[in-house]
Amino acid sequence: MNTTLRATGQITGLSLIVAPLALVGQSAFATATCQTTTPAATLVAPGVCGVEFTEAGDYTFNTPSGITKLHAVVVAGGASAQDYFGIYGGGGGDVQFFDVVDFDQPIDLTVGAGGQWSSANGDDSILNGDIVPGGWMTNSGNNNSEACDMNSEFFCAGGGAGGDAPSRVDGGAGVLASDVAGNSDLFPEIDGEPELGAGGDAILDGSSTIEDTPNIPGHGGNAFSQSTGGDGIDGAVYLRWPAPADSLASTGFDVTSGIAAAGAVTAGAAILVATRRRRHN
């Protein structure tokens, strides 16, 4: 066998060995599945299944059989912007993490509604009887404070679950689910996470306007003008558990892809052996 043919055979053999092994490692997360639940569970991170409730109301969730633990992040409803002798951005709903959730029985939960413009605080969210407080007029559900004009109390931004309002224009920060959960294995940091329970912004002066309230759970209503403002946003409940032990999310191995890969590896090895033998003959 000449040098060119031998080199081509060795490259082909190595490609058949290396490429399938890489594909097996990459395909596992994409094809993994979670148990069937109502609402439908999805794979929210490698090895993590979850469901979310983001509309106000009362729910009962039947957990799938065979799970070993369940964690939750619960967000209360945000307060509306208020017109009360002035204009106030609404306070954000509180956000809490529960690392021990009883799943032996159906889980009872309530997603707190956001307050309606100028008339309501945010409603509490509830998980198996544990209450997470809704936002109110200007303070967040966990009592982070508003910030008001130094010369007038008529224009204030709302406090957020993540802290006090930094100015009378900007509402207080919300919190990331991964942060409030301490970056637990079931609530890892994920790119693009929203800030839950942020406080509502307020107008800069009596004639200016600001953007609509972001549609993010627990957000306090933004104060659009001296006479109008936004509703608070409903809270949310996020439930998560480890993916099934036989799921690709945890094993990292796809049987069908594995068989195909094994065949390719065997063929590649045979080509390498043949080229080496011919080299020595």
Side-chain angles (χ1 to χ4, degrees):
M1 181 181 288
N2 63 40
T3 302
T4 301
L5 289 176
R6 184 166 56 248
T8 301
Q10 290 175 345
I11 292 171
T12 301
L14 286 171
S15 298
L16 285 171
I17 292 172
V18 174
L21 294 177
L23 288 174
V24 169
Q26 293 173 358
S27 66
F29 179 69
T31 56
T33 57
C34 294
Q35 304 97 323
T36 300
T37 61
T38 303
T42 60
L43 202 67
V44 296
V48 180
C49 292
V51 294
E52 60 181 51
F53 301 83
T54 56
E55 293 186 5
D58 299 321
Y59 302 89
T60 297
F61 179 69
N62 294 302
T63 58
S65 61
I67 67 174
T68 57
K69 63 179 177 180
L70 189 144
H71 291 174
V73 167
V74 179
V75 187
S80 70
Q82 305 278 334
D83 181 9
Y84 183 73
F85 299 107
I87 190 73
Y88 300 85
D94 192 13
V95 182
Q96 294 185 22
F97 172 59
F98 296 86
D99 62 352
V100 179
V101 179
D102 182 7
F103 52 83
D104 291 335
Q105 302 293 328
I107 296 173
D108 293 321
L109 59 98
T110 297
V111 175
Q116 302 298 299
W117 152 245
S118 195
S119 63
N121 298 324
D123 289 340
D124 300 340
S125 289
I126 305 171
L127 179 70
N128 282 344
D130 290 317
I131 297 174
V132 177
W136 46 298
M137 185 171 178
T138 53
N139 289 355
S140 70
N142 56 349
N143 293 321
N144 289 325
S145 298
E146 81 281 3
C148 298
D149 190 326
M150 295 298 293
N151 299 314
S152 171
E153 291 298 308
F154 293 160
F155 303 99
C156 304
D164 298 338
S167 72
R168 63 110 171 170
V169 175
D170 300 313
V175 295
L176 305 181
S178 58
D179 284 345
V180 74
N183 204 30
S184 77
D185 57 339
L186 298 183
F187 281 91
E189 182 178 353
I190 299 175
D191 290 342
E193 285 184 81
E195 285 193 1
L196 306 169
D201 297 337
I203 58 175
L204 183 62
D205 56 57
S207 61
S208 65
T209 59
I210 59 174
E211 296 180 355
D212 290 346
T213 307
N215 188 24
I216 299 173
H219 203 295
N222 284 354
F224 303 150
S225 71
Q226 197 164 3
S227 59
T228 60
D231 298 337
I233 306 300
D234 294 348
V237 175
Y238 302 94
L239 304 176
R240 294 185 182 178
W241 60 90
D246 58 352
S247 165
L248 295 177
S250 57
T251 63
F253 184 71
D254 182 331
V255 174
T256 302
S257 298
I259 292 173
V265 170
T266 300
I271 292 173
L272 284 179
V273 170
T275 55
R276 287 178 179 274
R277 285 178 177 173
R278 290 181 179 270
R279 180 179 180 183
H280 290 295
N281 288 340

